[in-house]
Amino acid sequence: MTERTTPRHQRLLVTGGAGFIGSCFVRDLLARRDGSRVVVLDKLTYAGNRANLAPVYADPEQAARLEFVVGDIADAAVVGPLVARSDAVVNFAAESHVDRSILDPEAFLRTDVLGVHVLLEACRLEQERARRGEREAAPRFLQVSTDEVYGSVETGESREDDRLEPRSPYSSAKAAGELLARSYFVTYGLDVVITRGSNTYGPYHHPEKLIPLFLTNAIDDQPLPLYGDGLQRRDWLYVADHAGAIGHVLEHGVSGEIYNVPGGNERTNRTVVAALLERLGKPWSLVRRVQDRPGHDRRYAMDGSRLAALGWRNRTTFEAGLAETVDWFRDNEAWWRPIKSGEWNDYYDRQYRARLAGSTADAGPGVPAPAVPTPRPASPGSSGEGA
Ligand code: NAD
Ligand code: DAU
């Protein structure tokens, strides 16, 4: 973000602004020095981290334009007064990890659905105040959604009007959240825009996700748990491009519209892992084939022509973005080592202990060995974790 033009929305409420993508959005926005003021509302769950905003706090001019509120988007008493003094709300706050949604779905419903509802209700109240002339205009509401709402896409590219077929508790909750947001546009005429981003990567990425997990494990010569055959495909989007696209839609998006935000870098997981190991100078022998994620979506791919027509272009190639990411994790152990402690150990144990115990070696990036069986949902009365 380098432009210095006066933004349409100068007082932003950024929920989840201490997370991976939200903090990038806040850092990049404040670095533009265009006078915008940001209130971050973040519950500081295991995924939230004030250290993600360290570059802002290190710069007095930027720090003066940031206010940080610790709180829950599902808490109307906290949300109402913050929305009342905002021109726009950008909702990044979410439980965001598919594997955790399979272990414990409930938190996903509370934040990704009820939290969105509370934010929308606060915006609706402000819209009424605007209609009564008590404020200039109703706030714009941008819901940050995901390509996962389309479900697994075997061929072709999802378009914004395609059917939603989410398949995990995470993606189902995200779909519910964005459907609610859209319903407030249709029913109440609220100024709502929605983005659906693809798999994002970059600095400050929580180590529970594929790229940072494998990077940080490889730095420590720990096993890399590759699910199933590792031939699942994702479309990788550099975090600054994702944050930039969201800023672009906030400024220029048509009310009521949905915008896909693809990365344009479709890769199999094997290809991604091979590239990061090569950059780190670590061997493929660290890779272990483990039991697959239940209901694992095979592929995501989106058509980005609507966003392109709005004038947005990504700036970072996958090769450049991955190199930057690998180097950042190698150089910033002080950021990620504390995250991989405490609660992390319980999560890692639940998610990976049995998987790693039953894992097999993998011959190499391009040579998938026979797949480790995918677990099936347990049938009523059965006690196992699925075959
Ligand atoms: P993240 O998990 O890194 O960050 C989420 C942030 O939300 C954290 O700071 C957390 O503390 C905060 N939060 C969680 N529950 C909250 C609550 N109830 N109230 C207030 N704050 C709360 O997530 P991320 O990867 O930065 O994703 C941000 C958004 O983008 C999410 O909505 C996610 O669904 C969406 N998205 C992510 C990706 C991706 O690849 N990471 C891709 C597309 C869309
Ligand atoms: O597509 C957008 C989505 O991308 C976002 O909405 C989610 O918030 C974000 O977490 C991400 O979801 P994925 O499930 O695609 O990301 P994850 O990093 O968990 O996994 C990427 C791929 O790597 C996926 O095919 C599963 C695989 N994987 C992941 C982990 C954590 C492994 O093989 N081993 C692992 O240990």
Side-chain angles (χ1 to χ4, degrees):
M1 289 191 197
T2 49
E3 310 107 83
R4 273 167 175 258
T5 49
T6 307
R8 190 169 140 201
H9 309 287
Q10 288 214 289
R11 299 173 309 160
L12 294 188
L13 176 61
V14 180
T15 60
F20 167 48
I21 309 171
S23 67
C24 180
F25 178 86
V26 173
R27 290 192 307 271
D28 290 355
L29 181 83
L30 292 174
R32 285 163 63 166
R33 301 186 193 283
D34 61 9
S36 306
R37 305 186 76 82
V38 172
V39 176
V40 164
L41 171 62
D42 198 295
K43 191 176 169 184
L44 292 180
T45 66
Y46 78 91
N49 189 348
R50 279 181 196 266
N52 295 0
L53 295 168
V56 173
Y57 290 119
D59 178 323
E61 191 279 330
Q62 292 184 45
R65 290 183 288 118
L66 173 67
E67 180 182 339
F68 196 106
V69 178
V70 180
D72 189 338
I73 60 164
D75 183 344
V78 173
V79 163
L82 298 179
V83 174
R85 53 188 173 94
S86 305
D87 303 324
V89 179
V90 187
N91 182 33
F92 290 94
E95 291 292 334
S96 69
H97 191 34
V98 173
D99 290 326
R100 289 192 193 246
S101 84
I102 295 167
L103 293 171
D104 290 310
E106 204 170 306
F108 288 74
L109 300 181
R110 180 169 167 78
T111 294
D112 302 9
V113 186
L114 287 178
V116 178
H117 162 72
V118 169
L119 290 170
L120 288 164
E121 276 297 298
C123 290
R124 189 159 78 89
L125 265 180
E126 291 310 303
Q127 181 187 42
E128 282 167 12
R129 284 187 57 223
R131 284 180 178 155
R132 291 197 301 267
E134 292 168 21
R135 60 177 281 164
E136 210 173 294
R140 165 159 271 205
F141 183 81
L142 189 149
Q143 172 66 8
V144 179
S145 191
T146 168
D147 61 359
E148 299 207 10
V149 297
Y150 293 115
S152 194
V153 183
E154 295 305 312
T155 55
E157 295 180 333
S158 307
R159 301 180 76 97
E160 286 85 349
D161 298 330
D162 284 357
R163 232 174 100 137
L164 303 189
E165 297 187 70
R167 291 157 31 94
S168 73
Y170 163 69
S171 54
S172 303
K174 290 297 292 184
E178 71 156 83
L179 287 171
L180 256 184
R182 194 168 145 69
S183 79
Y184 273 63
F185 166 76
V186 174
T187 309
Y188 304 112
L190 204 71
D191 181 10
V192 170
V193 278
I194 295 166
T195 57
R196 292 183 183 146
S198 66
N199 273 72
T200 306
Y201 71 100
Y204 301 98
H205 202 182
H206 192 282
E208 68 193 355
K209 309 283 168 50
L210 175 76
I211 289 180
L213 177 71
F214 278 33
L215 275 176
T216 56
N217 278 13
I219 287 169
D220 284 343
D221 297 312
Q222 291 298 306
L224 312 182
L226 188 68
Y227 296 160
D229 63 8
L231 290 174
Q232 303 82 8
R233 305 178 81 86
R234 297 290 184 268
D235 173 21
W236 294 96
L237 171 64
Y238 190 61
V239 65
D241 281 332
H242 193 168
I246 287 169
H248 191 82
V249 170
L250 183 69
E251 286 297 296
H252 306 288
V254 175
S255 197
E257 280 289 22
I258 298 166
Y259 295 90
N260 287 343
V261 187
N265 301 295
E266 186 178 333
R267 303 278 190 284
T268 66
N269 292 342
R270 284 176 173 276
T271 311
V272 170
V273 173
L276 69 85
L277 285 174
E278 191 185 345
R279 177 88 188 175
L280 264 188
K282 294 285 184 174
W284 183 267
S285 57
L286 289 173
V287 173
R288 303 291 303 177
R289 295 274 305 273
V290 301
Q291 194 177 57
D292 209 347
R293 173 185 279 175
H296 198 167
D297 287 340
R298 194 72 178 161
R299 175 177 179 263
Y300 305 128
M302 291 187 292
D303 173 88
S305 46
R306 186 178 287 175
L307 182 62
L310 201 67
W312 175 256
R313 301 277 178 281
N314 289 335
R315 292 171 185 163
T316 315
T317 64
F318 183 67
E319 289 65 34
L322 191 69
E324 193 148 318
T325 304
V326 172
D327 296 353
W328 189 89
F329 275 89
R330 206 181 39 212
D331 297 343
N332 286 278
E333 293 192 13
W335 180 84
W336 58 262
R337 285 209 185 275
I339 298 172
K340 290 181 104 177
S341 67
E343 183 273 350
W344 170 267
N345 293 319
D346 297 338
Y347 164 70
Y348 201 80
D349 219 48
R350 280 180 82 191
Q351 182 61 23
Y352 294 110
R353 187 148 58 133
R355 278 190 164 88
L356 283 168
S359 68
T360 55
D362 190 84
V367 194
V372 180
T374 307
R376 287 175 192 284
S379 54
S382 79
S383 56
E385 293 188 52

